[in-house]
């Protein structure tokens, strides 16, 4: 379907009736140019946060099933209002919930993973000349329980719809006009990137860039979906995310990210014998707690400390999982520290360049930022620092790698569609 476009609009894009009408106008412009349009919409503004606050006023530990039912209502408001707005402009539109469009999921109620999407309902509506509006962030499991896809899940819904419908591109409309070398609120001289590889975008998303949900980037790469991040409020090109981006020599680091939603958990005096770490992280995995950086100290007395990072919202559950096992396994105790942040440098050019770590550590040292943990991959280096030092660290790294200065050459990007089956 070469004339099909999938668009996703975030909460800030549909925050009030005026912005919803603006989105409707943007959609209708595409329709009048001959495109078939599928729109995925998030909840209005901070609706999801307000719903979570309501739940917290009722109970400190709501069931995940009922939490998913509650949170899914925000997107249902958005899709209905946008359908009304499009029809007011003379268009023909129909809204669907995740269940109605056939998004089947598995896993926990609030962190579900998409297993399949039935295209029959959407294709029938498109054939009838309608703009299809799909509630993002939600689906149903095999027992028809409402599920949600985690924070930023509407991005995942949009990419998944583009994949199953074989749309040439998935346009993600948000309150920024693309992907930047750093958060412009921290680094005013940050540059917008015209293009970025899916590998780099995946790392940046997982390391704190809030432009796209990590899982949506992962799915886009697997399914061969090209993503275009654009502003809902400006009519100009944004950032294209493609499977292959070939950086010119000299372009080593693409961006700097910061994640302040991190917590450091230390399990103290763990018996230093085979199988203990496996048991610890198996428990955390069973609880669907996403562990990131892991450090185990050298054993000197037959015991060791294991330190790892988790999202701040998972600290309570992490302690609930680990603390009861302390006496059984022989831990001395568990400590959690929420006053940390993770700063990272990302770049595909790091695969073939030496000295990136040295430059990073020297820059942090000059800025008097102490490093508490370090982790690396082929295209990123991350450091855990004190949260109050995070912005200072980002600025120092952005300057050290000269990301705010205009380069004489820009990245060359191959937009050739990758071969392989779509999911």
């Amino acid at each position: 379907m070469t004339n099909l476009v999938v668009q996703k609009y975030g909460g800030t894009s549909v925050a009030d009736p005026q912005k919803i009408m603006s989105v409707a106008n943007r959609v209708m412009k595409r329709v009048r140019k001959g495109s078939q349009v599928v729109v995925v919409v998030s909840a209005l503004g901070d609706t999801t946060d307000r719903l979570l606050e309501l739940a917290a006023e009722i109970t400190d530990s709501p069931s995940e099933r009922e939490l998913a039912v509650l949170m899914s209502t925000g997107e249902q408001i958005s899709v209905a209002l946008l359908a009304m707005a499009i029809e007011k402009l003379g268009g023909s539109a129909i809204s669907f919930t995740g269940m109605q469009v056939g998004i089947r999921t598995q896993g926990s109620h609030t962190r579900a993973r998409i297993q399949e999407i039935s295209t029959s309902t959407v294709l029938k509506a498109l054939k009838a000349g309608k703009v299809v509006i799909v509630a993002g962030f939600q689906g149903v499991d095999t027992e028809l329980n409402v599920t949600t896809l985690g924070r930023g899940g509407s991005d995942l819904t949009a990419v998944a719809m583009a994949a199953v419908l074989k749309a040439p591109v998935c346009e993600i409309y948000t309150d920024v006009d693309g992907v930047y070398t750093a958060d412009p609120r921290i680094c005013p001289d940050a540059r917008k990137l015209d293009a970025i590889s899916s590998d780099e975008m995946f790392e940046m998303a997982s390391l704190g860039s809030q432009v796209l949900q990590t899982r949506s980037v992962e799915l886009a790469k697997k399914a061969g979906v090209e993503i275009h991040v654009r502003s809902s409020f400006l009519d100009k090109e944004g950032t294209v995310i493609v499977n292959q981006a070939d950086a010119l020599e000299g372009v080593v680091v693409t961006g700097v990210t910061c994640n302040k939603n991190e917590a450091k958990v230390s399990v103290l005096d763990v018996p230093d014998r085979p199988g203990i770490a496996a048991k610890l992280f198996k428990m955390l995995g069973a609880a669907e707690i996403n562990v990131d950086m892991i450090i185990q100290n050298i054993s000197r007395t037959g015991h060791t400390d294991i330190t790892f990072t988790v999202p701040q919202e998972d600290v309570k559950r992490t302690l609930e999982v680990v603390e009861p096992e302390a006496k059984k396994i022989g831990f001395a105790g568990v400590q959690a520290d929420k006053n940390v942040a993770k700063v990272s440098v990302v770049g595909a050019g790091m695969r073939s360049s030496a000295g990136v770590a040295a430059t990073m550590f020297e820059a942090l040292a000059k800025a008097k930022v102490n490093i508490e943990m370090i982790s690396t991959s082929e295209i990123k280096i991350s450091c855990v620092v004190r949260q109050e030092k995070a912005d200072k660290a980002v600025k120092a790294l952005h300057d050290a790698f000269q990301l705010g200065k205009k380069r004489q050459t820009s990245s060359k990007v191959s937009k050739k569609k990758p071969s392989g089956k779509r999911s």
Side-chain angles (χ1 to χ4, degrees):
M1 302 177 69
T2 56
N3 66 332
L4 173 67
V5 61
V6 174
Q7 298 183 335
K8 178 262 177 177
Y9 292 91
T12 55
S13 304
V14 292
D16 54 48
Q18 292 73 31
K19 289 180 179 177
I20 290 172
M21 288 305 302
S22 177
V23 168
N25 272 298
R26 187 183 288 269
V27 171
M28 286 305 298
K29 284 182 182 178
R30 296 298 289 268
V31 171
R32 293 184 184 113
K33 290 180 180 179
S35 294
Q36 293 179 301
V37 185
V38 174
V39 184
V40 175
V41 189
S42 298
L44 279 65
D46 59 355
T47 298
T48 301
D49 289 334
R50 293 203 303 271
L51 292 172
L52 289 171
E53 289 170 4
L54 285 173
E57 291 181 19
I58 300 295
T59 174
D60 290 334
S61 53
S63 75
E64 287 202 345
R65 182 189 185 280
E66 302 309 326
L67 204 56
V69 172
L70 177 67
M71 290 192 296
S72 68
T73 60
E75 281 69 23
Q76 294 178 42
I77 295 170
S78 299
V79 294
L81 291 175
L82 182 56
M84 295 175 193
I86 289 172
E87 290 182 345
K88 180 180 179 179
L89 295 176
S92 179
I94 185 169
S95 65
F96 294 113
T97 65
M99 175 185 288
Q100 290 173 319
V101 86
I103 299 176
R104 294 286 182 155
T105 68
Q106 72 172 22
S108 69
H109 293 289
T110 57
R111 305 182 189 198
R113 302 189 72 84
I114 296 175
Q115 292 301 295
E116 63 178 359
I117 300 178
S118 172
T119 59
S120 58
T121 300
V122 173
L123 291 175
K124 181 178 178 181
L126 289 172
K127 188 175 182 180
K130 296 182 180 294
V131 174
V132 175
I133 308 171
V134 179
F137 180 59
Q138 62 184 251
V140 292
D141 64 18
T142 55
E143 297 179 355
L144 300 185
N145 293 303
V146 174
T147 59
T148 55
L149 307 176
R151 279 291 187 179
S154 293
D155 292 342
L156 183 60
T157 303
V159 171
M161 292 301 303
V164 297
L165 294 171
K166 297 181 172 56
V169 67
C170 179
E171 298 177 345
I172 304 290
Y173 287 89
T174 181
D175 56 354
V176 296
D177 59 347
V179 180
Y180 279 74
T181 52
D183 187 337
R185 292 170 297 183
I186 300 174
C187 300
D189 65 336
R191 293 181 300 107
K192 182 174 72 70
L193 301 167
D194 293 331
I196 185 172
S197 74
S198 54
D199 286 342
E200 290 172 317
M201 190 67 246
F202 177 83
E203 291 285 9
M204 291 182 71
S206 67
L207 295 169
S209 171
Q210 299 179 21
V211 178
L212 286 172
Q213 189 207 45
T214 307
R215 286 161 57 193
S216 70
V217 181
E218 181 181 26
L219 177 58
K221 180 179 179 180
K222 290 179 179 177
V225 174
E226 185 174 291
I227 298 176
H228 191 180
V229 179
R230 306 182 69 175
S231 170
S232 297
F233 313 116
L234 301 171
D235 189 17
K236 65 179 185 179
E237 294 297 306
T239 300
V240 178
I241 301 160
V242 294
N243 268 9
Q244 185 64 42
D246 302 315
L248 293 177
E249 289 188 339
V251 183
V252 178
V253 171
T254 300
V256 181
T257 66
C258 176
N259 187 355
K260 297 179 182 178
N261 185 36
E262 290 280 322
K264 184 174 68 172
V265 178
S266 296
V267 184
L268 307 176
D269 288 339
V270 179
D272 188 20
R273 60 175 184 266
I276 297 297
K279 186 170 185 178
L280 170 64
F281 291 107
K282 184 176 181 180
M283 291 187 299
L284 295 170
E288 297 191 358
I289 295 169
N290 184 29
V291 175
D292 186 15
M293 303 168 73
I294 303 172
I295 291 177
Q296 179 171 326
N297 294 333
I298 298 173
S299 172
R300 297 188 184 278
T301 60
H303 289 74
T304 185
D305 296 341
I306 298 177
T307 301
F308 54 91
T309 59
V310 297
Q312 281 192 9
E313 60 266 24
D314 286 340
V315 169
K316 182 180 177 181
R317 288 198 306 139
T318 299
L319 297 179
E320 289 172 349
V321 168
V322 178
E323 286 181 336
E325 299 296 321
K327 289 184 179 180
K328 295 179 186 178
I329 298 178
F331 305 158
V334 186
Q335 296 178 345
D337 181 0
K338 292 185 178 181
N339 188 30
V340 297
K342 180 167 59 180
V343 293
S344 310
V345 294
V346 178
M350 292 168 60
R351 289 191 177 106
S352 57
S353 299
V356 176
T359 301
M360 181 177 189
F361 301 154
E362 286 174 0
L364 294 178
K366 287 179 181 178
K368 299 188 184 306
V369 176
N370 188 50
I371 300 171
E372 299 185 14
M373 299 174 71
I374 301 169
S375 72
T376 66
S377 74
E378 276 191 318
I379 64 171
K380 63 95 173 170
I381 302 174
S382 298
C383 296
V384 169
V385 302
R386 289 287 92 192
Q387 193 172 97
E388 62 269 18
K389 296 278 191 178
D391 288 1
K392 188 176 184 180
V394 171
K395 291 177 183 177
L397 295 173
H398 199 258
D399 289 343
F401 290 101
Q402 300 182 351
L403 297 178
K405 298 178 180 179
K406 289 185 178 180
R407 295 179 176 140
Q408 296 299 314
T409 56
S410 59
S411 295
K412 287 194 283 187
V413 177
S414 169
K415 293 188 179 181
K416 181 180 179 182
K417 300 297 284 186
S419 59
K421 295 175 66 177
R422 294 178 179 268
S423 62

